[in-house]
Amino acid sequence: MNIVEEFSVGTPLEITLPPVSRLDLIKYAGASGDFNPIHTIDEEATKAGLPGIIAHGMWTMGNLAKLFTPYYKEVFLEDYSVAFKGMVFLNDVLTLKASLVSIQNDRYYFDVAALNQKNEAVVKGSAVLKRF
Amino acid sequence: MFESLIGTRSTPVKNIVERGSLKAFSKSIGDESPLYLDELVGKRSRYGANIAPPTYPRVFDYGEIQGFDLPNVGLIHGKQSFHYKRPLLVGETVMCSTSLENYYERNGKSGLLGFLLLKRYGEEPGGKLIFTEEQVVIITEAVREGMSS
């Protein structure tokens, strides 16, 4: 477990994920119950007019939230909002980022984003951690 | 096309934060914190139990809004947000429901787009709110045409 004292403006929390694999998306489909076939089956993605299967937006959003997990001893995630800006394809390499914007009383305000290997934001949003 | 359903809410469905399901979910997003998965760590934590990752409510059944039928394909998830009063606890019962908050249409590059604003609720069996979710789902013109034919 980490401590919130480590949070500082200008020092983002950051993780780079291994390249997105089909198995990642099959696992997420099974665990979440979202079996929309454009996330797992090539022909269905092609039929839907996509160049290939794409990750579930919620898979990326779920991954992004783990930047905060080590801090849940002192805070909980009160608000978490994102917009899905771009598609995530197989073998994309995502970097997850959370930057502290401000601290107000018992709340920590973050900007969050998931960037692909071309440095394009595929997910962008904000999060509020509330201290106990 | 969904205007008449705005404000309609589903009958709440009983869901349970199941340990096995939560473990599979945590693994699938690579977020395997002992706070989620290790019973002893959960028990000794301030929560007194294991908690769930914030996007775990994706697995819940929110019931059906009567008369609201969407195809499973061709929808675009535009936005998603969660608001929590407190974290979800492993083993607890959550009553889940959904409502159509708004529907509107806008002209986009690929034709007329429909925007659905859906809200979801997770409550304690006694009615106390645990979390809400909001999602914007975009329906493309091709899909809307398929639905009305």
Side-chain angles (χ1 to χ4, degrees), chain B residues 25-112:
Chain B
F25 187 87
S26 301
K27 275 193 170 176
S28 78
I29 53 168
D31 192 7
E32 296 173 76
S33 168
L35 196 52
Y36 302 146
L37 304 176
D38 185 324
E39 216 169 330
L40 197 61
V41 170
K43 206 166 273 177
R44 286 180 180 162
S45 75
R46 68 160 60 247
Y47 309 102
N50 293 111
I51 62 170
T55 62
Y56 179 75
R58 188 75 185 93
V59 311
F60 291 149
D61 179 357
Y62 294 83
E64 307 290 333
I65 299 171
Q66 240 182 352
F68 183 59
D69 297 308
L70 276 182
N72 183 32
V73 290
L75 302 176
I76 300 164
H77 196 174
K79 287 182 181 175
Q80 173 75 33
S81 70
F82 292 89
H83 175 75
Y84 277 95
K85 297 290 177 194
R86 61 163 173 84
L88 280 167
L89 305 176
V90 172
E92 80 171 320
T93 298
V94 188
M95 302 303 290
C96 297
S97 59
T98 179
S99 73
L100 179 61
E101 292 292 296
N102 203 359
Y103 175 74
Y104 55 90
E105 293 172 349
R106 292 279 184 275
N107 268 305
K109 273 181 216 149
S110 54
L112 197 62

Side-chain angles (χ1 to χ4, degrees), chain B residues 7-19:
Chain B
T8 315
R9 185 161 165 180
S10 66
T11 304
V13 177
K14 181 179 171 178
N15 287 266
I16 292 168
V17 184
E18 289 164 5
R19 188 171 290 283

Side-chain angles (χ1 to χ4, degrees), chain A residues 1 28 31-32 34 36 58-59 61-63 66 69 72-73 75-84 132, chain B residues 24-25 28-31 33 35-36 46-47 54-55 58-59 72-73 77-85 87:
Chain A
M1 285 279 155
Y28 188 77
S32 70
D34 182 346
N36 187 331
M58 291 300 296
W59 177 80
M61 187 182 191
N63 268 281
K66 70 187 173 196
T69 312
Y72 291 157
K73 208 166 141 186
V75 295
F76 75 97
L77 191 59
E78 184 180 47
D79 281 289
Y80 182 32
S81 271
V82 304
F84 301 103
F132 290 103
Chain B
F25 187 87
S28 78
I29 53 168
D31 192 7
S33 168
L35 196 52
Y36 302 146
R46 68 160 60 247
Y47 309 102
T55 62
R58 188 75 185 93
V59 311
N72 183 32
V73 290
H77 196 174
K79 287 182 181 175
Q80 173 75 33
S81 70
F82 292 89
H83 175 75
Y84 277 95
K85 297 290 177 194

Side-chain angles (χ1 to χ4, degrees), chain B residues 117-132:
Chain B
L117 174 57
L118 292 158
K119 195 158 177 180
R120 289 169 155 185
Y121 303 84
E123 295 167 329
E124 293 176 6
K128 202 170 171 200
L129 191 67
I130 306 169
F131 70 88
T132 54

